[in-house]
Amino acid sequence: MKKRSLFLPGLLCLCLSVLVASLAQAQAPPSNSLSAKGEGKISGLVKDSISGKPVAYATVALMKKNTTQTVDGTRTDGQGQFNFSGVAAGEYTVMCSLLGYAAKTVQSVPVTAQNPTLHLGEIQLTPAVNQLQEVTVVGQKPLIEDKGDRLVYNADQDLTNTGGNAADVLQKVPSLSVDGDGNVQLRGSSNVRVLLNGKASTILATNLADALKQIPSDQIKSVEVMTTPSAKYDAEGTAGIINIITKKNHRQGVSGSAGFTAGTQNNSLFSNTSLRRRQLGINVNLNTFHYAVPRGYGMYRAERTEGVERLTTQTGDGKVYGGGGSAQLGLEYELDSMNFLAAGFQLNLGRYQGNGQQETLSPEPAPLHRISHTSAFEFVPFSTDANLEYTHIFSPRQEFTLLGQLSRFDLDNLVRQEQLNARDQLFYQQHNTNASLNHETTLQADYTHPFSPKTTLEVGAKTIIRRAESNAQYDIRFPLENRAAPEDNIFEYRQHVLAGYATLAFALGKKNHLKTGLRYERTRLNGDFSSTGTFLEETYQNMIPSVTLSRTVKENQTVKLSYTQRIQRPHIFLLNPYRDSRDPKSIFFGNPELEPELTHLYEAGYSTFYKTSSVTTSVYLRQVDNTIQPVTPAIEEGVAQNTYGNAGRLLSYGLNVAGSTKPVPAWNLSGSANVYFNQLQGEGYRNNGWQYNLTLSTGYDLGKGWSSQFSGGFNSARVTLQGHAYATGYHSLAVKKELFQKKGSVTLGLNNPFTAYINSGYALETAAFTQRNENLNYNRAVRLSFDYKFGQADAKKAPRKKKTIRNDDLKQGE
């Protein structure tokens, strides 16, 4: 049993005490407060100033005079009428608002004992100019935006994304790199958490590379990258958080979009339908997809034993293909202007298959010098996510939110393999099965309290209960003499995280802004590995500070300094000791003894913007203790043993630059460059080197509904603990034609038309062996996509900004 005593339980109690005290302060008014119940009544009628018709469902707020403190709130009914009852004596202000209209304020509304009932008569709202039906205002967002605490890539503005998947989108985001297998890195680190609409998703948490292929790019609105999140967020590890935001619409009535993609590698259908009636909103998203990607493989290994070199070569090819679908249901209901309910449910299912054939030449005695190996695998994932949210608004910027989420991921894995000797005789046949389960229950409470327009306190508490199980069985159908069968492996794992946080943001003078916070996390682990007789029990606690200081140098120039500390727990994928032996010369398995990573991240940034251009730069230093790295510690009987280990320390520092501009109104141009140095040390190895990644995107409006776009990127070779990964590049072209008065469009896209494949391989070098692996992904593809928007053209109702659960503390696999 391991015990780490950084225990400071008082912090959690302090956070909860502040939360309770703040709520009590917000809800318990002083004796002379106007929020005390009285006998007064205020009513009125809201009308359109031009048409004279009643304005239904407008928000009406009752506020204490000369303050922003909301005493009560309501909505107008279908006839535009509203009323407040139980109003105490005092002076009030009544404000009426609705998107599409200029807000209207009625000053000096007195309620006295002599005159307790007031009817304000007609209150006329004036339609905003940019909401009149005769006027259409079209504004194109820049491809890349700097939001201060995050960098935003507006994917819906990039034509080359049409018809692809989330992996295609992420490889175009500044500071991100995605290899041919779909593995994501942020500033050279794979220790990154990916969220969907701000929520943790089981499908993204278990196998990120495969999950990204299930999200159509047509459904992605934008991608947010946060490199220095505050203490409010879960401990995200060395690199940061990536938040994929999908498209939603908030129009009254029925509206939505639908489309399809047909291509040489990807085919998909999608639909997004929204129904909004008064306080109720319903969103339904459906999509189905299929893909097939041919692949090539090569492995070249030289083992050195007592001065003798043993050469092994392995070549082969195959195909990865699969399909599936997802369904998402979202519900939003406004009980009144102060209380909101929201619920969501998502279902994902799929089937992924692959096959391949390899030929191995090795120094084994004849007839095993040459081995023909065929394999086939099948993954059947099934996941569900359900969440519920309640929000109460006390006054503008003061609110309490309670959230709950249940997530479940099931995965059935089947691998079949056969081996033939040089005489084409079957000498080995094995079937592997692995049934795994990952279940999460999360409860979270957040409270925001504004002390002034420039000072805000945020406190909260959270608990996550995780349960993971794996049952792996190995069935050798045709055993080779003297070759032992692998043992069955049953794995049970429990994790309980208890956390509390407090952040305070305030101004220092007119130009400086400081946000500081502290997070406490207590983690308890229990693991039972029945096949090996190993039992794991561990408890550790961490204090996680964060601080960000920003200064506005000029109106359009900002500098920022930040520091944060994070902890990253290994996911079930890295802990599971299941031995994947589909390759006769390489076995992959997890390490149940992995310890969490601890990260110190320092960053200094500068951003500026002009009329049509923006630039953001940052220098950063990242130090990671107990960094989790893929390692190959040994070659046993010619078979590489691949796993994960705590490799000691990673030191990384670099420069990141991103920007966008419009040289002329019809031409947009954006790009990014990230240059950094990595130094790895641990497990008896040491490696370091400079590396970089570049992205470039440009688009041109050709007129008459025609537009074109190009996107490209290059990732240099990057160092690993025992060697380096190969350089990779990508490029894509797209042409789009708008149809049906811009309600529909057709897009023709080309992926990597000038290269046959992307090699996402790597090289290893140790004292005992050297090895070179080539993974060839044939990503050259053509696709044709069509989408159509339908529904009513009512003015958009401003969506309430929802709080979401973010379980972003787990280390992902590569």
Side-chain angles (χ1 to χ4, degrees):
M1 177 184 296
K2 301 179 184 177
K3 294 283 184 183
R4 277 179 247 175
S5 193
L6 298 173
F7 184 48
L8 289 171
L11 175 67
L12 182 59
C13 296
L14 174 62
C15 290
L16 293 175
S17 299
V18 173
L19 174 63
V20 174
S22 300
L23 288 172
Q25 178 186 10
Q27 299 185 70
S31 59
N32 62 348
S33 172
L34 293 173
S35 63
K37 287 292 183 181
E39 301 298 327
K41 295 181 180 181
I42 300 175
S43 60
L45 175 64
V46 179
K47 287 189 174 183
D48 187 300
S49 63
I50 296 178
S51 67
K53 295 181 179 179
V55 178
Y57 313 117
T59 299
V60 185
L62 180 66
M63 297 178 291
K64 185 178 178 181
K65 185 179 179 181
N66 297 326
T67 72
T68 59
Q69 178 183 346
T70 301
V71 177
D72 201 355
T74 187
R75 286 182 179 275
T76 59
D77 60 18
Q79 287 72 45
Q81 298 178 352
F82 70 90
N83 64 81
F84 298 104
S85 59
V87 181
E91 287 272 344
Y92 297 93
T93 298
V94 174
M95 176 180 287
C96 303
S97 61
L98 181 67
L99 191 68
Y101 292 89
K104 182 66 174 290
T105 301
V106 180
Q107 303 284 357
S108 300
V109 179
V111 174
T112 64
Q114 295 76 21
N115 188 19
T117 303
L118 283 85
H119 184 72
L120 302 180
E122 293 184 3
I123 300 175
Q124 295 187 344
L125 296 184
T126 303
V129 174
N130 62 349
Q131 294 292 332
L132 295 178
Q133 292 185 358
E134 293 80 4
V135 180
T136 301
V137 179
V138 179
Q140 184 179 15
K141 292 183 180 179
L143 201 60
I144 300 170
E145 294 182 282
D146 182 11
K147 297 291 188 179
D149 62 339
R150 67 196 66 197
L151 197 68
V152 180
Y153 168 74
N154 292 304
D156 56 354
Q157 302 296 319
D158 191 338
L159 301 184
T160 62
N161 289 328
T162 305
N165 56 46
D168 300 320
V169 174
L170 291 187
Q171 69 180 355
K172 302 169 188 175
V173 178
S175 302
L176 298 186
S177 60
V178 183
D179 65 20
D181 292 323
N183 300 308
V184 180
Q185 290 198 335
L186 172 57
R187 290 179 174 174
S189 172
S190 60
N191 190 353
V192 60
R193 182 61 164 168
V194 181
L195 307 177
L196 188 62
N197 295 316
K199 298 184 180 70
S201 173
T202 51
I203 190 171
L204 293 175
T206 305
N207 191 324
L208 178 60
D210 286 340
L212 293 176
K213 299 173 184 176
Q214 300 187 40
I215 305 174
S217 59
D218 307 87
Q219 294 291 290
I220 298 176
K221 177 184 178 183
S222 61
V223 179
E224 299 177 340
V225 178
M226 291 171 276
T227 54
T228 55
S230 71
K232 179 178 179 178
Y233 293 88
D234 287 339
E236 88 292 347
T238 60
I241 296 174
I242 301 171
N243 185 22
I244 300 174
I245 300 175
T246 57
K247 297 176 182 178
K248 295 180 180 179
N249 71 70
H250 297 270
R251 295 179 182 271
Q252 287 290 327
V254 180
S255 58
S257 61
F260 68 87
T261 292
T264 56
Q265 291 187 354
N266 295 333
N267 297 281
S268 63
L269 293 169
F270 75 89
S271 68
N272 175 16
T273 304
S274 175
L275 170 63
R276 287 194 169 267
R277 288 287 187 266
R278 302 179 182 177
Q279 296 100 327
L280 176 65
I282 302 174
N283 281 281
V284 179
N285 292 295
L286 302 172
N287 78 78
T288 180
F289 66 94
H290 177 270
Y291 70 92
V293 181
R295 309 182 70 176
Y297 176 77
M299 187 275 289
Y300 310 91
R301 180 189 301 154
E303 300 175 59
R304 295 181 290 271
T305 305
E306 298 178 354
V308 178
E309 189 172 70
R310 295 163 50 92
L311 300 178
T312 300
T313 64
Q314 193 175 62
T315 58
D317 56 37
K319 178 179 289 189
V320 177
Y321 55 96
S326 67
Q328 183 176 357
L329 172 65
L331 301 173
E332 297 179 2
Y333 187 74
E334 300 181 9
L335 301 174
D336 52 44
S337 61
M338 315 293 285
N339 296 279
F340 303 89
L341 282 175
F345 180 79
Q346 183 169 353
L347 170 69
N348 302 277
L349 65 153
R351 182 180 299 271
Y352 309 98
Q353 297 172 292
N355 55 58
Q357 43 280 330
Q358 299 173 350
E359 185 174 80
T360 303
L361 299 177
S362 66
E364 303 293 339
L368 298 182
H369 171 66
R370 171 179 289 177
I371 299 176
S372 297
H373 175 82
T374 61
S375 65
F377 66 86
E378 182 177 13
F379 300 136
V380 184
F382 176 81
S383 68
T384 56
D385 289 289
N387 59 79
L388 182 65
E389 170 196 349
Y390 166 73
T391 298
H392 177 74
I393 299 176
F394 300 97
S395 64
R397 298 173 52 229
Q398 180 186 3
E399 64 180 52
F400 170 75
T401 305
L402 185 64
L403 306 104
Q405 180 170 297
L406 296 175
S407 301
R408 180 186 175 99
F409 183 88
D410 294 271
L411 176 64
D412 292 329
N413 182 358
L414 170 65
V415 177
R416 300 178 295 272
Q417 55 177 305
E418 292 183 347
Q419 298 178 22
L420 306 177
N421 61 23
R423 300 170 183 169
D424 291 332
Q425 297 171 329
L426 176 69
F427 69 88
Y428 189 75
Q429 185 182 63
Q430 177 178 314
H431 287 189
N432 306 352
T433 59
N434 181 28
S436 60
L437 164 70
N438 190 9
H439 185 275
E440 289 186 2
T441 301
T442 306
L443 293 175
Q444 177 177 326
D446 298 286
Y447 174 69
T448 303
H449 186 89
F451 292 104
S452 70
K454 296 184 178 181
T455 303
T456 303
L457 172 70
E458 294 179 287
V459 296
K462 182 177 184 178
T463 182
I464 309 173
I465 301 174
R466 294 187 172 104
R467 177 170 59 92
E469 298 176 0
S470 174
N471 186 352
Q473 298 182 354
Y474 306 86
D475 181 10
I476 296 182
R477 303 292 181 91
F478 198 95
L480 177 66
E481 186 178 356
N482 299 326
R483 183 167 179 175
E487 295 183 357
D488 293 347
N489 190 337
I490 299 177
F491 169 54
E492 295 182 359
Y493 180 75
R494 303 289 186 274
Q495 182 185 94
H496 186 194
V497 180
L498 184 64
Y501 75 88
T503 67
L504 182 65
F506 56 94
L508 296 173
K510 294 182 178 180
K511 295 185 176 183
N512 302 311
H513 189 268
L514 179 66
K515 186 171 186 178
T516 183
L518 192 63
R519 185 179 186 89
Y520 165 76
E521 291 192 352
R522 179 182 184 273
T523 305
R524 182 178 180 182
L525 307 176
N526 287 282
D528 185 1
F529 311 93
S530 59
S531 57
T532 60
T534 304
F535 183 77
L536 169 69
E537 184 174 349
E538 183 175 3
T539 300
Y540 53 86
Q541 298 157 80
N542 296 84
M543 298 294 296
I544 304 167
S546 68
V547 59
T548 298
L549 174 64
S550 61
R551 176 178 175 82
T552 303
V553 181
K554 294 182 179 180
E555 184 178 351
N556 63 337
Q557 298 180 39
T558 303
V559 294
K560 180 178 66 174
L561 297 173
S562 62
Y563 166 77
T564 185
Q565 185 185 100
R566 292 299 182 199
I567 182 175
Q568 191 80 9
R569 305 172 187 87
H571 189 266
I572 175 66
F573 178 81
L574 305 182
L575 296 168
N576 190 351
Y578 165 65
R579 300 174 70 85
D580 187 339
S581 58
R582 78 184 72 167
D583 186 333
K585 291 298 179 180
S586 294
I587 292 179
F588 294 84
F589 54 93
N591 179 4
E593 297 184 358
L594 286 176
E595 296 183 359
E597 298 179 342
L598 185 64
T599 301
H600 302 270
L601 178 61
Y602 307 82
E603 185 171 333
Y606 168 81
S607 62
T608 183
F609 64 89
Y610 303 94
K611 291 183 179 180
T612 59
S613 303
S614 65
V615 177
T616 176
T617 63
S618 60
V619 292
Y620 58 90
L621 186 147
R622 184 172 65 235
Q623 177 183 313
V624 187
D625 298 324
N626 284 336
T627 177
I628 298 174
Q629 293 287 319
V631 293
T632 305
I635 305 293
E636 298 180 1
E637 298 182 355
V639 180
Q641 309 295 305
N642 303 287
T643 186
Y644 293 87
N646 290 111
R649 175 174 293 183
L650 164 66
L651 179 65
S652 178
Y653 53 86
L655 169 68
N656 186 212
V657 180
S660 63
T661 186
K662 297 188 72 172
V664 296
W667 181 22
N668 64 76
L669 180 67
S670 63
S672 68
N674 181 42
V675 181
Y676 57 101
F677 182 85
N678 270 5
Q679 178 179 297
L680 286 161
Q681 181 176 345
E683 298 281 329
Y685 299 96
R686 182 186 179 93
N687 199 8
N688 60 70
W690 286 95
Q691 46 219 340
Y692 62 91
N693 56 280
L694 309 171
T695 65
L696 175 67
S697 181
T698 181
Y700 197 86
D701 187 347
L702 302 171
K704 297 183 179 181
W706 288 91
S707 54
S708 62
Q709 192 140 8
F710 167 84
S711 291
F714 182 79
N715 304 309
S716 72
R718 63 182 189 275
V719 298
T720 62
L721 184 64
Q722 295 176 295
H724 68 274
Y726 297 157
T728 59
Y730 69 90
H731 59 279
S732 55
L733 300 164
V735 177
K736 177 180 178 180
K737 178 64 172 73
E738 294 179 335
L739 305 171
F740 311 120
Q741 297 180 341
K742 297 186 177 182
K743 290 185 178 181
S745 66
V746 174
T747 303
L748 176 65
L750 303 175
N751 271 9
N752 303 302
F754 304 116
T755 56
Y757 58 83
I758 296 176
N759 185 358
S760 57
Y762 59 92
L764 302 176
E765 184 171 356
T766 71
F769 71 95
T770 60
Q771 180 173 311
R772 180 164 53 93
N773 286 68
E774 294 184 351
N775 298 318
L776 309 181
N777 295 275
Y778 294 90
N779 289 334
R780 178 185 288 167
V782 180
R783 57 178 180 249
L784 182 68
S785 302
F786 172 79
D787 68 271
Y788 183 79
K789 301 178 180 64
F790 59 88
Q792 298 180 2
D794 294 347
K796 286 189 177 181
K797 176 182 179 293
R800 181 177 56 87
K801 186 176 181 180
K802 294 176 62 178
K803 293 289 187 68
T804 54
I805 282 178
R806 295 180 172 92
N807 292 349
D808 34 31
D809 57 312
L810 290 180
K811 168 78 177 186
Q812 302 296 302
E814 292 190 67

